[in-house]
Amino acid sequence: MGRPFGVPVYVSPSWFLVAALITWVFGDQLDRVLPHLGPARYLVSLFFAVAFYASVLVHELAHTVAALRFKLPVRRIQLQFFGGVSEIEKESETPGREFVLAFVGPLLSLLLAGAFYLGMELVDPASVPGVLLAGLMISNLLVAAFNLLPGLPLDGGRMLRAVIWGITGKPMTGTIAAAWVGRALAVAVLLGLPMLTHTGILGPGTDDIGGMNTVMDALLAAILAAIIWTGAGNSLRMARLREHLPELRARTLTRRAVPVENTTPLSEALRRAVEAGARALVIVDGHGAPVSIVRETAIASVPEHRRPWVDVSTLAQELTDGMKVSAELSGEELLDHLRATPATEYLVVEPGGEIYGVLSTLDVERAFVKAMARPQS
């Protein structure tokens, strides 16, 4: 939908379902408040749905701008079912920055609510602009209040995580605590929201909000609880991922390679590799400089009886600058490099440029899965 601050904004297909639901629900409300609108009320309701999600986008842009200010890359913003998400690729370096990064979203929602309230003072409350401004004020207050709940994956949960991280000095401790609070919130929403609306504790007429009955309240509560519970679990998994990232080192994952000329028969190249205890082939020029990597999948596709007649150059992938990886890379820096230049194999070189070996993405994946399967430290 655009690239504000250079970050692409996407709209999930689920948004259209929610927009239709908001249009229908808010349209019923308008029929009670402004009955003279007739069928035009649904056009006004659709405008409200779009304006509401524009407010959600502003909320997410606040997170994005703060992340960019802290030099944290943002992959994208996605508007989806029940809100939006800013996909920030790296973790904040300090708990203070994490707190600010989480707080700016609800803060912008509160400021928007205040702006819509001031706008209400300038128009007739019984007019279309008055009703729209009131609806946007209330919806932004709800967005801010909901996001300030102290449990992951909500902004309030990230703020709680930052506080515990700052006290203990351990980001993982903060994540675990905030994630379990998030799961408790999910259970509270699942059981408490239908009870509150059914008993009328939230105020008179809550059973009629948007024409919702008890079944709809229970369904809404179940969806919200599932989103919170799943998000809390994902936060724990991402924390474990970052905890194990330092175990991924290019030097320890690299396969030993043997250099061969481009006219070398595949059978001869494989013989040399077996003799040297190597598991990869690198094609070099007359000066010994690497020019390409023989692909493992290509080798496997050649029948054994044809290998003496196939030159390794026909099975190789030419090296690009992005396919050269420093043997010193590890953790998130290594993954960032591989993500920036997708390939099946990479040439690993020493700081001086000497060939160290070949890194296979399959080996990185296996090491990652193995690390994630270990008990949490």
Side-chain angles (χ1 to χ4, degrees):
M1 300 300 293
R3 287 179 171 267
F5 305 101
V7 177
V9 177
Y10 295 91
V11 175
S12 168
S14 62
W15 177 85
F16 295 96
L17 176 63
V18 178
L21 180 62
I22 292 175
T23 301
W24 170 56
V25 171
F26 195 69
D28 283 351
Q29 291 289 341
L30 281 176
D31 193 35
R32 296 186 182 94
V33 180
L34 303 172
H36 63 277
L37 286 178
R41 67 182 183 274
Y42 291 110
L43 186 61
V44 177
S45 298
L46 178 60
F47 178 84
F48 170 78
V50 174
F52 168 66
Y53 267 87
S55 300
V56 174
L57 177 59
V58 171
H59 176 111
E60 295 304 327
L61 282 174
H63 293 306
T64 294
V65 171
L68 296 176
R69 175 68 178 80
F70 295 144
K71 302 188 185 309
L72 301 175
V74 182
R75 181 179 303 172
R76 63 178 179 175
I77 297 173
Q78 186 167 19
L79 300 180
Q80 56 191 9
F81 198 77
F82 279 121
V85 60
S86 301
E87 296 183 9
I88 302 171
E89 296 184 357
K90 289 186 178 180
E91 188 179 73
S92 299
E93 295 178 357
T94 65
R97 288 187 173 186
E98 174 73 1
F99 188 93
V100 171
L101 191 58
F103 179 62
V104 290
L107 176 62
L108 255 291
S109 293
L110 288 172
L111 291 176
L112 283 175
F116 290 130
Y117 175 78
L118 292 177
M120 289 169 56
E121 299 296 312
L122 304 177
V123 298
D124 181 1
S127 65
V128 170
V131 172
L132 284 175
L133 288 170
L136 289 171
M137 180 199 71
I138 294 172
S139 61
N140 275 277
L141 282 175
L142 290 175
V143 167
F146 181 71
N147 276 280
L148 285 172
L149 292 175
L152 287 172
L154 304 174
D155 293 331
R158 294 175 60 192
M159 293 161 64
L160 175 62
R161 173 183 181 271
V163 170
I164 297 175
W165 175 7
I167 293 173
T168 64
K170 299 178 180 179
M172 189 64 183
T173 300
T175 301
I176 293 173
W180 278 105
V181 173
R183 287 174 168 173
L185 279 174
V187 175
V189 168
L190 179 63
L191 301 178
L193 184 59
M195 185 180 302
L196 290 174
T197 55
H198 180 69
T199 58
I201 294 177
L202 293 178
T206 53
D207 285 336
D208 271 343
I209 293 178
M212 283 183 154
N213 56 25
T214 304
V215 174
M216 289 296 291
D217 290 335
L219 179 61
L220 175 63
I223 293 173
L224 285 174
I227 291 173
I228 297 173
W229 183 279
T230 303
N234 288 339
S235 297
L236 278 175
R237 281 188 288 274
M238 286 301 296
R240 289 187 60 206
L241 181 156
R242 287 193 166 96
E243 189 180 47
H244 290 299
L245 275 182
E247 300 175 22
L248 303 180
R249 299 182 180 89
R251 188 175 293 279
T252 58
L253 295 174
T254 296
R255 300 178 179 184
R256 185 177 177 184
V258 292
V260 295
E261 297 76 24
N262 59 7
T263 57
T264 305
L266 177 59
S267 58
E268 171 61 16
L270 292 176
R271 186 194 66 78
R272 295 182 194 177
V274 171
E275 191 175 79
R279 297 174 55 207
L281 302 172
V282 176
I283 297 179
V284 296
D285 61 17
H287 302 287
V291 293
S292 57
I293 297 175
V294 182
R295 293 173 291 123
E296 184 181 19
T297 54
I299 294 174
S301 67
V302 179
E304 191 168 349
H305 69 275
R306 292 194 62 244
R307 291 177 179 179
W309 320 108
V310 176
D311 290 346
V312 290
S313 60
T314 63
L315 310 173
Q317 181 174 4
E318 186 177 355
L319 284 171
T320 62
D321 288 340
M323 289 175 62
K324 294 180 180 179
V325 176
S326 169
E328 304 302 318
L329 285 184
S330 64
E332 199 158 352
E333 287 186 345
L334 175 60
L335 293 185
D336 286 344
H337 186 102
L338 303 188
R339 191 163 46 228
T341 312
T344 55
E345 287 102 3
Y346 298 84
L347 180 69
V348 180
V349 295
E350 295 283 10
E354 302 87 358
I355 297 174
Y356 182 75
V358 171
L359 177 66
S360 169
T361 53
L362 285 175
D363 292 340
V364 177
E365 290 172 7
R366 292 190 188 105
F368 177 75
V369 171
K370 184 178 179 181
M372 289 291 288
R374 294 194 193 114
Q376 184 178 301
S377 61

